[in-house]
Amino acid sequence: MIGALHRSFTGAAPPGGEPTGMREAPAHAPARRTRTIAVALHGIEPATFERCAVIRDWLGDHGVDRVTLLVIPARDLHPVGARSPEMVRWLAERRDAGDSIAQHGFQHVCLRRGGLLTHRPGEFSGLDEEETRRAVHAGWRVMKLAGIEPDGFVAPAYAYTAALRQAMQRRFRWWADLLGVHRVPGEGDTAQAAGTSRAPAFSFAADGLLGRVLSPPLVRAGAMLPTATLRLDLHPADLRQARHMMALEWVLQRSHSREAVTYRQLAGA
């Protein structure tokens, strides 16, 4: 995945105005004058909650006051609200403090018709339009009923299908893929209201010895690029990898002058 990022390191400055305090950047505002850093914490669910909370506190200690939180609505088909009220309260508190909450798939496992598991890449791969719409809506409804309605969507492994892209338009203000964050036009908006903030996502590889060894220097290299926005993807497993956390600390120290923003702010949504 890291290799694909090196095909698109530069891009237009992200839309949305420069935030002040805890206010969200308005849509269609002038381009940002300051360089930004957008950190997303993936895979938040009851089983990873403690590690995610530790990582979020650690980020705050290192000056990252806004993070995009990617929540799995129903891992193993257990709604997040019923399974972990403590996590839901934490998410609501983080949202009130300025973080953004996004829906991260439905179960975060690969599905096929009939609900059986498969090893195809991407949770929505192989599902038709109606099956995709139901899965996306079910995840959104689970989170809304829990009081943590998401404002954006990020597909597991950034694996999007045509049906998934269509289903997202009905529920969310923005969505993100590997190379950028995209604004979804609202009702009454023109087609020009859609926008994209080009910013490739850098992340640490958790699987395989080679990936764990090579990804930290690649993330460091990404932080040295003169891009308008530095985008970092973190996962609960990173907390167990000392090399990952050391590289992340180096990146954050180097990026101390960048302003922390959420994906919603990047999209201007």
Side-chain angles (χ1 to χ4, degrees):
M1 182 176 72
I2 294 292
L5 301 179
H6 290 265
R7 295 193 292 268
S8 178
F9 284 133
T10 60
E18 184 175 345
T20 302
M22 302 308 297
R23 291 181 295 175
E24 293 284 349
H28 314 304
R32 297 180 185 277
R33 295 182 181 275
T34 58
R35 295 200 304 163
T36 57
I37 181 171
V39 179
L41 183 52
H42 289 236
I44 301 175
E45 55 150 319
T48 65
F49 168 46
E50 290 187 3
R51 279 176 286 162
C52 289
V54 169
I55 292 174
R56 181 63 190 91
D57 288 345
W58 187 89
L59 289 170
D61 291 341
H62 286 75
V64 181
D65 57 356
R66 295 179 187 232
V67 174
T68 303
L69 306 173
L70 277 52
V71 181
I72 303 171
R75 173 76 86 174
D76 300 326
L77 292 179
H78 294 291
V80 64
R83 191 172 180 183
S84 182
E86 180 184 4
M87 190 183 86
V88 170
R89 287 193 297 270
W90 176 78
L91 287 167
E93 291 171 359
R94 292 309 321 160
R95 179 181 57 194
D96 293 343
D99 287 354
S100 178
I101 296 177
Q103 180 176 331
H104 197 28
F106 176 47
Q107 297 184 64
H108 204 286
V109 296
C110 299
L111 300 174
R112 67 181 181 189
R113 295 180 183 180
L116 300 177
L117 300 183
T118 180
H119 295 289
R120 285 194 306 271
E123 180 175 3
F124 298 92
S125 177
L127 301 185
D128 63 25
E129 182 176 332
E130 180 60 22
E131 291 167 333
T132 300
R133 186 197 65 79
R134 286 201 303 264
V136 171
H137 174 73
W140 173 85
R141 181 173 172 79
V142 163
M143 294 180 67
K144 180 177 175 62
L145 290 176
I148 49 172
E149 181 178 355
D151 52 59
F153 185 93
V154 178
Y158 293 120
Y160 289 91
T161 64
L164 179 56
R165 293 177 191 272
Q166 182 176 356
M168 290 186 309
Q169 307 296 318
R170 306 176 184 179
R171 295 292 181 191
F172 305 102
R173 301 179 182 181
W174 59 267
W175 60 281
D177 59 19
L178 186 62
L179 297 179
V181 181
H182 314 272
R183 181 177 185 270
V184 178
E187 290 187 15
D189 286 344
T190 63
Q192 287 72 26
T196 296
S197 176
R198 292 293 178 187
F202 291 90
S203 65
F204 300 101
D207 298 329
L209 177 60
L210 185 62
R212 289 195 297 271
V213 170
L214 293 181
S215 59
L218 288 175
V219 171
R220 286 191 179 98
M224 298 174 66
L225 295 170
T227 53
T229 298
L230 172 61
R231 192 170 148 217
L232 297 175
D233 281 354
L234 304 180
H235 297 80
D238 291 329
L239 190 62
R240 297 176 175 173
Q241 300 294 331
R243 289 172 57 89
H244 293 187
M245 298 305 293
M246 291 173 61
L248 179 59
E249 186 170 28
W250 184 92
V251 168
L252 294 181
Q253 289 174 349
R254 181 180 177 83
S255 305
H256 71 277
S257 62
R258 289 180 179 267
E259 180 183 9
V261 295
T262 65
Y263 281 10
R264 180 177 177 179
Q265 288 176 290
L266 279 184

